[in-house]
mmCIF file of all heavy atoms in Angstrom:
data_model
loop_
_atom_site.group_PDB
_atom_site.id
_atom_site.type_symbol
_atom_site.label_atom_id
_atom_site.label_comp_id
_atom_site.label_asym_id
_atom_site.label_seq_id
_atom_site.Cartn_x
_atom_site.Cartn_y
_atom_site.Cartn_z
ATOM 1 N N GLN Y 10 -209.943 19.147 120.743
ATOM 2 C CA GLN Y 10 -210.370 20.505 121.015
ATOM 3 C C GLN Y 10 -210.967 20.615 122.404
ATOM 4 O O GLN Y 10 -211.501 19.659 122.940
ATOM 5 C CB GLN Y 10 -211.413 20.944 119.992
ATOM 6 C CG GLN Y 10 -210.913 20.914 118.565
ATOM 7 C CD GLN Y 10 -212.015 21.264 117.585
ATOM 8 O OE1 GLN Y 10 -213.138 21.578 117.964
ATOM 9 N NE2 GLN Y 10 -211.705 21.215 116.308
ATOM 10 N N ILE Y 15 -223.530 20.387 126.634
ATOM 11 C CA ILE Y 15 -224.644 20.579 127.564
ATOM 12 C C ILE Y 15 -225.725 19.603 127.121
ATOM 13 O O ILE Y 15 -226.370 19.800 126.090
ATOM 14 C CB ILE Y 15 -225.149 22.025 127.562
ATOM 15 C CG1 ILE Y 15 -224.019 22.960 127.996
ATOM 16 C CG2 ILE Y 15 -226.373 22.163 128.467
ATOM 17 C CD1 ILE Y 15 -224.364 24.419 127.936
ATOM 18 N N LEU Y 17 -229.111 17.998 128.111
ATOM 19 C CA LEU Y 17 -230.287 18.128 128.968
ATOM 20 C C LEU Y 17 -231.080 16.835 128.982
ATOM 21 O O LEU Y 17 -230.955 16.005 128.082
ATOM 22 C CB LEU Y 17 -231.156 19.286 128.466
ATOM 23 C CG LEU Y 17 -230.441 20.641 128.403
ATOM 24 C CD1 LEU Y 17 -231.346 21.682 127.759
ATOM 25 C CD2 LEU Y 17 -230.003 21.085 129.782
ATOM 26 N N SER Y 20 -237.109 13.063 127.259
ATOM 27 C CA SER Y 20 -238.238 12.214 127.622
ATOM 28 C C SER Y 20 -239.011 11.850 126.359
ATOM 29 O O SER Y 20 -238.848 12.480 125.320
ATOM 30 C CB SER Y 20 -239.165 12.925 128.610
ATOM 31 O OG SER Y 20 -239.740 14.065 128.006
ATOM 32 N N THR Y 24 -245.949 3.301 122.639
ATOM 33 C CA THR Y 24 -247.049 2.369 122.847
ATOM 34 C C THR Y 24 -246.526 0.941 122.794
ATOM 35 O O THR Y 24 -245.745 0.608 121.901
ATOM 36 C CB THR Y 24 -248.120 2.551 121.756
ATOM 37 O OG1 THR Y 24 -248.546 3.918 121.761
ATOM 38 C CG2 THR Y 24 -249.307 1.651 121.981
ATOM 39 N N SER Y 25 -246.947 0.102 123.757
ATOM 40 C CA SER Y 25 -246.547 -1.306 123.744
ATOM 41 C C SER Y 25 -246.889 -1.923 122.397
ATOM 42 O O SER Y 25 -247.957 -1.684 121.848
ATOM 43 C CB SER Y 25 -247.278 -2.084 124.846
ATOM 44 O OG SER Y 25 -246.880 -1.645 126.104
ATOM 45 N N ARG Y 30 -239.130 5.986 119.504
ATOM 46 C CA ARG Y 30 -237.808 6.611 119.503
ATOM 47 C C ARG Y 30 -237.839 7.857 120.371
ATOM 48 O O ARG Y 30 -238.858 8.523 120.479
ATOM 49 C CB ARG Y 30 -237.323 6.924 118.103
ATOM 50 C CG ARG Y 30 -238.127 7.920 117.329
ATOM 51 C CD ARG Y 30 -237.523 8.295 115.959
ATOM 52 N NE ARG Y 30 -237.203 7.176 115.137
ATOM 53 C CZ ARG Y 30 -236.018 7.010 114.505
ATOM 54 N NH1 ARG Y 30 -235.084 7.910 114.607
ATOM 55 N NH2 ARG Y 30 -235.807 5.948 113.761
ATOM 56 N N ILE Y 31 -236.714 8.144 120.979
ATOM 57 C CA ILE Y 31 -236.551 9.341 121.793
ATOM 58 C C ILE Y 31 -235.358 10.098 121.241
ATOM 59 O O ILE Y 31 -234.257 9.549 121.142
ATOM 60 C CB ILE Y 31 -236.318 8.987 123.278
ATOM 61 C CG1 ILE Y 31 -237.522 8.228 123.843
ATOM 62 C CG2 ILE Y 31 -236.044 10.250 124.085
ATOM 63 C CD1 ILE Y 31 -237.295 7.670 125.227
ATOM 64 N N LEU Y 33 -232.301 12.148 121.464
ATOM 65 C CA LEU Y 33 -231.350 12.406 122.542
ATOM 66 C C LEU Y 33 -230.559 13.688 122.356
ATOM 67 O O LEU Y 33 -229.962 14.191 123.291
ATOM 68 C CB LEU Y 33 -230.383 11.226 122.675
ATOM 69 C CG LEU Y 33 -231.023 9.882 123.002
ATOM 70 C CD1 LEU Y 33 -229.954 8.796 123.061
ATOM 71 C CD2 LEU Y 33 -231.792 9.946 124.306
ATOM 72 N N LEU Y 34 -230.520 14.232 121.161
ATOM 73 C CA LEU Y 34 -229.693 15.403 120.892
ATOM 74 C C LEU Y 34 -230.496 16.681 120.619
ATOM 75 O O LEU Y 34 -229.921 17.761 120.533
ATOM 76 C CB LEU Y 34 -228.783 15.130 119.687
ATOM 77 C CG LEU Y 34 -227.795 13.975 119.851
ATOM 78 C CD1 LEU Y 34 -227.030 13.752 118.548
ATOM 79 C CD2 LEU Y 34 -226.835 14.241 120.996
ATOM 80 N N ASN Y 36 -232.262 18.792 122.236
ATOM 81 C CA ASN Y 36 -232.163 19.955 123.120
ATOM 82 C C ASN Y 36 -230.759 20.119 123.705
ATOM 83 O O ASN Y 36 -230.573 20.798 124.703
ATOM 84 C CB ASN Y 36 -233.202 19.845 124.245
ATOM 85 C CG ASN Y 36 -233.024 18.596 125.081
ATOM 86 O OD1 ASN Y 36 -232.225 17.723 124.748
ATOM 87 N ND2 ASN Y 36 -233.767 18.497 126.163
ATOM 88 N N ASP Y 37 -229.753 19.535 123.064
ATOM 89 C CA ASP Y 37 -228.381 19.588 123.568
ATOM 90 C C ASP Y 37 -227.519 20.521 122.725
ATOM 91 O O ASP Y 37 -227.804 20.769 121.556
ATOM 92 C CB ASP Y 37 -227.753 18.192 123.548
ATOM 93 C CG ASP Y 37 -228.518 17.201 124.400
ATOM 94 O OD1 ASP Y 37 -229.275 17.632 125.290
ATOM 95 O OD2 ASP Y 37 -228.369 15.997 124.168
ATOM 96 N N THR Y 38 -226.472 21.056 123.354
ATOM 97 C CA THR Y 38 -225.534 21.904 122.630
ATOM 98 C C THR Y 38 -224.121 21.360 122.753
ATOM 99 O O THR Y 38 -223.782 20.659 123.707
ATOM 100 C CB THR Y 38 -225.557 23.360 123.133
ATOM 101 O OG1 THR Y 38 -225.193 23.388 124.512
ATOM 102 C CG2 THR Y 38 -226.926 23.990 122.952
ATOM 103 N N PHE Y 39 -223.300 21.699 121.768
ATOM 104 C CA PHE Y 39 -221.909 21.273 121.719
ATOM 105 C C PHE Y 39 -221.078 22.486 121.315
ATOM 106 O O PHE Y 39 -221.276 23.051 120.238
ATOM 107 C CB PHE Y 39 -221.745 20.138 120.706
ATOM 108 C CG PHE Y 39 -220.319 19.734 120.461
ATOM 109 C CD1 PHE Y 39 -219.632 18.993 121.405
ATOM 110 C CD2 PHE Y 39 -219.665 20.108 119.310
ATOM 111 C CE1 PHE Y 39 -218.326 18.620 121.195
ATOM 112 C CE2 PHE Y 39 -218.360 19.738 119.086
ATOM 113 C CZ PHE Y 39 -217.682 19.000 120.029
ATOM 114 N N SER Y 40 -220.203 22.928 122.199
ATOM 115 C CA SER Y 40 -219.358 24.111 121.952
ATOM 116 C C SER Y 40 -220.171 25.320 121.499
ATOM 117 O O SER Y 40 -219.795 26.034 120.582
ATOM 118 C CB SER Y 40 -218.270 23.790 120.932
ATOM 119 O OG SER Y 40 -217.339 22.905 121.492
ATOM 120 N N GLY Y 42 -223.013 25.426 119.926
ATOM 121 C CA GLY Y 42 -223.895 25.194 118.783
ATOM 122 C C GLY Y 42 -224.713 23.941 118.976
ATOM 123 O O GLY Y 42 -224.673 23.295 120.030
ATOM 124 N N GLU Y 43 -225.437 23.574 117.954
ATOM 125 C CA GLU Y 43 -226.295 22.393 117.988
ATOM 126 C C GLU Y 43 -225.466 21.112 118.083
ATOM 127 O O GLU Y 43 -224.479 20.946 117.371
ATOM 128 C CB GLU Y 43 -227.139 22.357 116.721
ATOM 129 C CG GLU Y 43 -228.022 21.144 116.596
ATOM 130 C CD GLU Y 43 -228.743 21.090 115.251
ATOM 131 O OE1 GLU Y 43 -228.613 22.015 114.447
ATOM 132 O OE2 GLU Y 43 -229.438 20.086 115.037
ATOM 133 N N VAL Y 51 -223.214 9.087 119.946
ATOM 134 C CA VAL Y 51 -224.099 8.606 121.003
ATOM 135 C C VAL Y 51 -223.967 7.089 121.070
ATOM 136 O O VAL Y 51 -224.001 6.408 120.049
ATOM 137 C CB VAL Y 51 -225.565 8.995 120.717
ATOM 138 C CG1 VAL Y 51 -226.475 8.495 121.828
ATOM 139 C CG2 VAL Y 51 -225.698 10.499 120.550
ATOM 140 N N ASN Y 57 -229.244 -2.653 130.229
ATOM 141 C CA ASN Y 57 -229.522 -4.082 130.241
ATOM 142 C C ASN Y 57 -231.006 -4.406 130.368
ATOM 143 O O ASN Y 57 -231.438 -5.485 130.002
ATOM 144 C CB ASN Y 57 -228.755 -4.764 131.375
ATOM 145 C CG ASN Y 57 -227.262 -4.650 131.176
ATOM 146 O OD1 ASN Y 57 -226.784 -4.576 130.050
ATOM 147 N ND2 ASN Y 57 -226.526 -4.605 132.263
ATOM 148 N N SER Y 62 -232.873 -2.584 122.478
ATOM 149 C CA SER Y 62 -232.795 -1.141 122.243
ATOM 150 C C SER Y 62 -231.502 -0.815 121.515
ATOM 151 O O SER Y 62 -230.532 -1.566 121.561
ATOM 152 C CB SER Y 62 -232.879 -0.372 123.562
ATOM 153 O OG SER Y 62 -231.808 -0.737 124.404
ATOM 154 N N SER Y 63 -231.501 0.313 120.814
ATOM 155 C CA SER Y 63 -230.321 0.700 120.044
ATOM 156 C C SER Y 63 -230.326 2.204 119.809
ATOM 157 O O SER Y 63 -231.263 2.899 120.183
ATOM 158 C CB SER Y 63 -230.282 -0.049 118.714
ATOM 159 O OG SER Y 63 -231.415 0.264 117.945
ATOM 160 N N ASP Y 65 -229.964 5.072 116.731
ATOM 161 C CA ASP Y 65 -229.959 5.328 115.289
ATOM 162 C C ASP Y 65 -228.702 6.141 114.988
ATOM 163 O O ASP Y 65 -228.573 7.274 115.463
ATOM 164 C CB ASP Y 65 -231.208 6.111 114.896
ATOM 165 C CG ASP Y 65 -231.304 6.410 113.420
ATOM 166 O OD1 ASP Y 65 -230.251 6.595 112.764
ATOM 167 O OD2 ASP Y 65 -232.428 6.487 112.903
ATOM 168 N N THR Y 68 -229.321 9.763 113.397
ATOM 169 C CA THR Y 68 -229.998 10.826 114.137
ATOM 170 C C THR Y 68 -229.560 10.932 115.592
ATOM 171 O O THR Y 68 -229.784 11.950 116.231
ATOM 172 C CB THR Y 68 -231.522 10.610 114.130
ATOM 173 O OG1 THR Y 68 -231.813 9.390 114.833
ATOM 174 C CG2 THR Y 68 -232.083 10.559 112.729
ATOM 175 N N GLY Y 69 -228.994 9.855 116.147
ATOM 176 C CA GLY Y 69 -228.676 9.818 117.566
ATOM 177 C C GLY Y 69 -229.879 9.499 118.432
ATOM 178 O O GLY Y 69 -229.805 9.541 119.651
ATOM 179 N N ASP Y 70 -231.003 9.121 117.829
ATOM 180 C CA ASP Y 70 -232.218 8.792 118.587
ATOM 181 C C ASP Y 70 -232.054 7.436 119.281
ATOM 182 O O ASP Y 70 -231.406 6.527 118.763
ATOM 183 C CB ASP Y 70 -233.435 8.689 117.679
ATOM 184 C CG ASP Y 70 -233.890 10.039 117.144
ATOM 185 O OD1 ASP Y 70 -233.296 11.077 117.512
ATOM 186 O OD2 ASP Y 70 -234.854 10.060 116.353
ATOM 187 N N LEU Y 72 -233.708 4.092 120.138
ATOM 188 C CA LEU Y 72 -234.772 3.296 119.533
ATOM 189 C C LEU Y 72 -235.273 2.242 120.510
ATOM 190 O O LEU Y 72 -234.482 1.467 121.063
ATOM 191 C CB LEU Y 72 -234.268 2.622 118.265
ATOM 192 C CG LEU Y 72 -233.712 3.576 117.195
ATOM 193 C CD1 LEU Y 72 -233.167 2.789 116.017
ATOM 194 C CD2 LEU Y 72 -234.769 4.559 116.758
ATOM 195 N N ILE Y 73 -236.573 2.219 120.717
ATOM 196 C CA ILE Y 73 -237.218 1.281 121.633
ATOM 197 C C ILE Y 73 -237.891 0.205 120.778
ATOM 198 O O ILE Y 73 -238.730 0.539 119.934
ATOM 199 C CB ILE Y 73 -238.243 1.998 122.516
ATOM 200 C CG1 ILE Y 73 -237.555 3.123 123.286
ATOM 201 C CG2 ILE Y 73 -238.933 1.014 123.447
ATOM 202 C CD1 ILE Y 73 -238.503 4.137 123.875
ATOM 203 N N PRO Y 75 -240.341 -2.796 119.397
ATOM 204 C CA PRO Y 75 -241.787 -3.031 119.539
ATOM 205 C C PRO Y 75 -242.136 -4.018 120.661
ATOM 206 O O PRO Y 75 -243.218 -3.954 121.207
ATOM 207 C CB PRO Y 75 -242.207 -3.593 118.184
ATOM 208 C CG PRO Y 75 -241.181 -3.098 117.238
ATOM 209 C CD PRO Y 75 -239.902 -3.039 118.034
#
Side-chain angles (χ1 to χ4, degrees):
Q10 300 176 3
I15 299 176
L17 302 174
S20 64
T24 304
S25 294
R30 64 175 52 229
I31 299 172
L33 300 178
L34 299 176
N36 59 352
D37 300 340
T38 61
F39 173 75
S40 291
E43 177 186 357
V51 180
N57 297 331
S62 61
S63 61
D65 181 328
T68 64
D70 289 357
L72 303 177
I73 303 163

